[in-house]
Amino acid sequence: MTHIEKYFVPEPSRYPIFGSIALLLMATGAVFWMNKVSSGPLILALGFATLVYMLFGWFGQVIRESEGGNYGSNVDVSFRWSMGWFIFSEVMFFAGFFGALFYVRVIALPDLSSLDHQQFLWGNFSAQWPIKVSPGHIVDPFTPIGAWGIPAINTLLLLTSGATLTWAHWGLLNNNRGQLKLGLFLTIALGLLFLSLQIMEYAHAYSDLNLRLSSGIFGSTFFMLTGFHGLHVTIGATMLIVILLRVMKGHFKPDHHFAFEAVAWYWHFVDVVWLFLFVVVYWL
Amino acid sequence: MSSIAHDPTHGHEHDHHAHHPSGVMRWITTTNHKDIGSLYLWFSFIMFLAGGVMALTIRAELFQPGLQIVQPEFFNQLTTMHGLVMVFGAIMPAFVGFANWQIPLMIGAPDMAFARMNNWSFWLLPVAAILLMGSFLAPGGASAAGWTLYAPLSVQMGMGMDMLIFAVHIMGASSIMGAINIVTTILNMRAPGMTLMKMPLFCWTWLITAYLLIAVMPVLAGAVTMLLTDRHFGTSFFNAAGGGDPVLYQHVFWFFGHPEVYIMILPAFGIVSQIIPTFSRKPLFGYASMVYATSSIAILSFIVWAHHMFTTGMPAAGQLFFMYATMLIAVPTGVKVFNWVATMWKGSMTFETPMLFAVGFIFVFTMGGFTGLICAITPIDIQIQDTYYVVAHFHYVLVAGSLFAIFAGTYYWLPKWTGHMYDEGLGRLHFWASIIFFNITFFPMHFLGLAGMPRRIPDYALQFADFNAIATVGAFGFGLSQLIFLAAVLKCVKGGQRRPQRSGTVRTDSSGPCPRQRPTIPSKLHRLSSKRCWLTGGPPWTGDQTSAPR
């Protein structure tokens, strides 16, 4: 064999244990907070700070190793496989919540309004989506959010951001750094605009439409699905900002930029989840 | 890291001139797959003892009818935590420990693909264990909703339930990272020439298990997240008064839960498939069919989940579908059992401890498989749902299946890991004590269940007394037998007879303990005959024999 492809095995690292301590503190803090122990928020914040320290340190080391030329083509393939499988795990996470939505709409609600239930349990409850009155009358009336206002604009924003990101990628491939920076900047701006509109929409829902997380099963599925999506957009936008900062520092070459591609994959994944959300949560 | 730029012929010891912490810090910061494998295995043994103590408390309470030792509330906490600790703390981490030790050796990789993330995958587990075991100390005690955490009971529990939910999240993160690491390692780090169909079968079973983990652990995370928001943030996922449905929880949970069953048994199939050929002195019969059978089991595992819910209520068409789909799994599982038997057929068999556990596995696991088929039949399941018949069934597949395979694998690979032979006498004693006491414990439970004794209840009617007394005696025997295992492992780790160098058998591989650091160049695959090939990676390391099909 003339050419030997070398593997990369990192030195011992202290970052993982910081991550573990961070999650222990965050879990403890969250449990305390939910159960009204006064130290909860403080412990949670401490844990989050530890997590941020760990993420900075760990990713910083990975970036230094990458820019130092330690990652050969073997490592590159490993990164590709792992990012793909990570996104698949995220798909399955959303699948759980989409599954809950479909189950409720197709099975649970018709069952609750069936003759047996009407007669013995939930008097006169009739299944319709979005539910106006919950079976146990525990939900105040609310108005759902229509699809063709802010949600439709948000769909356009996210789809456009996918296009600008691809345009930025072309810039990177053609060594056109200006196009790369502008494309990334536009993508981040569109993502942040999306998030701002989402926050506005939530405020509108809470203050004007009386649509809350506690608005029965509609509020549960609506806010959990769009909320977790919003969280993923936030994570994706944060990663894009890191990529933009790295681009400004001169990182990435046309043939060596998997970090960029991984974030782009993630961004497109978030985009696709939104399309499903738009259709089944807002529209249908 | 400068080491990877070195010429590979320089010898690997000189490459790693960078600092390597010693003492406790070595284990906390390690990026070495063998260290991490050992950590996983010791962690799982500690959790096995913790879960075992809970089981023995349960059995002590059930020795006689009436309430003697624990309060019913605490009894419910024990059944819940016993299940969770054994599933997430003992069985799953043990298999990941085997994967860490063996997969890089078997495919000729220097380490796992992501060695740092590998460390984090492990070190999340003690965190989850602290939350899990700490929940006993929370006001109101640990969760008492059963290991399945069914709503609405799990919506009502105290702070211990919240700790459990976060423990599940953290264990899920650990499993997903571990699984991604294993998939990437197997797909991308194999030695040149080792095609997928030349991999040792253990790697195949873990590849498929890892796929299952990535697919279903996020769904479990979603299920417990819905529980959390139902508990604290006013959502109505599992509350019919708000338009939700408690049965929804069962669907989401078992969409995770059934593949989880195969997550706990497929690596066991892999270990047994390595051991049977060795001690039969024959290559594995039907290698390719083993791979296809494992894949079929994994695919089928996604469409059978509602057989756990026959009594919860579903249309007859649903019951029929889930019944037939479940029974279909017997076909690929049967392929595996017949392949193991065919491997032994006319082989020059010897019965050292790993082989004893492997053959014991085939016997007793197959019994558990058959009772599983019985449970799959809807009308029978409606009779035996939530009785001790189900308890007997899943302990036959999880204890005699997964756990015996873990023992078999430990005895089989301990000499490779330590460079010393284990004490054969202790090993055989451990096997015979385990299999006899196991059957004394769990066989009577079939009769108890058929007679209608419900599970998860601290008291029972008088006619169940005799079988319960027998089961309790067996349980304490089984528990104490595991101390023999601890003794055997400690004795082997501390020293003992040098590992023999056999030649001409399939176990001819390395001369001593596997060195801690190995070169970061690919191993070479040598074809020795039409059925055998070896991996070598330059002195002093040589790898495992692999089972090439043709």
Side-chain angles (χ1 to χ4, degrees), chain A residues 5-7 9 74, chain B residues 33-34 99-113 185-186 188-194 198-200 203 416 514 518-526 534-538 541-546:
Chain A
E5 182 66 85
K6 291 180 190 114
Y7 298 121
V9 180
N74 183 280
Chain B
H33 72 100
K34 303 183 194 75
N100 261 292
W101 258 102
Q102 288 305 126
I103 287 175
L105 299 183
M106 284 176 158
I107 64 171
D111 207 298
M112 300 294 282
T185 306
I186 292 177
N188 191 37
M189 309 276 278
R190 278 169 288 125
M194 180 179 278
K198 282 181 186 161
M199 287 196 304
C203 301
K416 179 164 195 67
C514 201
R518 289 188 293 121
T520 50
I521 54 164
S523 310
K524 289 197 183 99
L525 191 71
H526 303 276
W534 264 256
L535 274 173
T536 55
W541 176 74
T542 50
D544 253 314
Q545 189 260 357
T546 72

Side-chain angles (χ1 to χ4, degrees), chain B residues 74-85:
Chain B
F74 188 60
F75 183 91
N76 291 346
Q77 295 174 24
L78 286 176
T79 53
T80 303
M81 297 300 280
H82 164 72
L84 287 164
V85 164

